[in-house]
Amino acid sequence: EIVLTQSPDFQSVTPKEKVTITCRASQSIGSSLHWYQQKPDQSPKLLIKYASQSFSGVPSRFSGSGSGTDFTLTINSLEAEDAATYYCHQSSSLPDTFGQGTKLEIK
Amino acid sequence: EVQLVETGGGLIQPGGSLRLSCAASGFTVSSNYMSWVRQAPGKGLEWVSVIYSGGSTYYADSVKGRFTISRDNSKNTLYLQMNSLRAEDTAVYYCATCLAGGDAFDIWGQGTMVTVSS
């Protein structure tokens, strides 16, 4: 099973700040890495697929990069509505796995 | 409108059984690969099972032998039969799929809560 480790687990940030969340895989997964946003009492929503492809309708301040074992989700000019927990997900090999999540708090 | 609606959750005693349903609209369940993902209270996301368009199925080790994923093409509905339930199966269960191609989950249901407790 491929283990995904996100960092940090929690971050408190101010609006307009730039945020970087990392996801490290226990073995190479190519570009089969996806990012989701989940707000309290809501289902997860896809932000980025295949490491760097923005999903339709997602604000342009969200971007992704990386390949192999190291991946990054970047949020430029953070907005208050971005308060949420963010998860990475690998689909390179079964079982699919998720990172433990990164909770963003807006100051 | 593309939509997934889960039903069937509830309170069940340890060792009991429950069947979750996920009704799809706006697309055909049998033409897409469909998954179940769960989230224990206050915890992260955990992949549970997948059924591919060809019918192949796969399970997380934590549920293998106890859970069965299936679909009814005539009802355009996905199911998760859960047997021998344990306290650690307590979670919100989501069905999810990938309509835009590939295997990132771009459509999720609203989830249904399963509580296993005596």
Side-chain angles (χ1 to χ4, degrees), chain B residues 34-76:
Chain B
M34 304 289 299
S35 292
W36 288 96
V37 176
R38 69 184 181 182
Q39 186 170 35
K43 302 297 184 182
L45 301 169
E46 179 188 14
W47 178 85
V48 172
S49 181
V50 62
I51 182 167
Y52 290 105
S53 56
S56 298
T57 59
Y58 297 89
Y59 301 91
D61 285 345
S62 58
V63 307
K64 199 174 297 181
R66 299 187 299 122
F67 289 11
T68 302
I69 190 171
S70 64
R71 66 191 181 209
D72 184 329
N73 296 343
S74 67
K75 295 182 178 179
N76 207 32

Side-chain angles (χ1 to χ4, degrees), chain B:
Chain B
E1 179 190 5
V2 172
Q3 196 174 10
L4 293 170
V5 178
E6 301 97 332
T7 55
L11 175 63
I12 187 75
Q13 292 189 338
S17 297
L18 209 56
R19 188 179 80 159
L20 305 182
S21 300
C22 171
S25 56
F27 72 99
T28 304
V29 163
S30 61
S31 298
N32 293 275
Y33 92 77
M34 304 289 299
S35 292
W36 288 96
V37 176
R38 69 184 181 182
Q39 186 170 35
K43 302 297 184 182
L45 301 169
E46 179 188 14
W47 178 85
V48 172
S49 181
V50 62
I51 182 167
Y52 290 105
S53 56
S56 298
T57 59
Y58 297 89
Y59 301 91
D61 285 345
S62 58
V63 307
K64 199 174 297 181
R66 299 187 299 122
F67 289 11
T68 302
I69 190 171
S70 64
R71 66 191 181 209
D72 184 329
N73 296 343
S74 67
K75 295 182 178 179
N76 207 32
T77 297
L78 176 74
Y79 300 102
L80 186 67
Q81 177 67 44
M82 304 186 296
N83 299 330
S84 302
L85 282 161
R86 307 166 179 168
E88 54 265 35
D89 296 319
T90 294
V92 174
Y93 284 74
Y94 298 100
C95 59
T97 191
C98 321
L99 291 192
D103 40 23
F105 299 128
D106 51 20
I107 304 295
W108 295 70
Q110 85 288 351
T112 187
M113 182 70 203
V114 173
T115 303
V116 184
S117 175
S118 54

Side-chain angles (χ1 to χ4, degrees), chain A residues 8-99:
Chain A
D9 291 332
F10 175 86
Q11 192 168 3
S12 183
V13 292
T14 55
K16 299 187 179 180
E17 193 173 334
K18 177 181 176 179
V19 172
T20 299
I21 299 170
T22 65
C23 178
R24 174 163 289 178
S26 59
Q27 63 189 74
S28 180
I29 56 173
S31 296
S32 297
L33 191 284
H34 321 295
W35 290 97
Y36 303 86
Q37 176 193 67
Q38 185 180 33
K39 296 182 179 180
D41 298 319
Q42 293 186 16
S43 306
K45 294 180 180 178
L46 179 64
L47 296 174
I48 303 289
K49 61 179 183 177
Y50 294 102
S52 61
Q53 298 176 24
S54 294
F55 184 60
S56 175
V58 173
S60 59
R61 62 182 180 275
F62 292 92
S63 63
S65 64
S67 66
T69 60
D70 293 303
F71 301 87
T72 299
L73 173 70
T74 300
I75 311 174
N76 283 298
S77 194
L78 193 79
E79 297 190 6
E81 66 183 28
D82 300 333
T85 300
Y86 293 83
Y87 294 94
C88 56
H89 157 225
Q90 71 80 22
S91 60
S92 175
S93 64
L94 289 172
D96 283 29
T97 50
F98 290 87

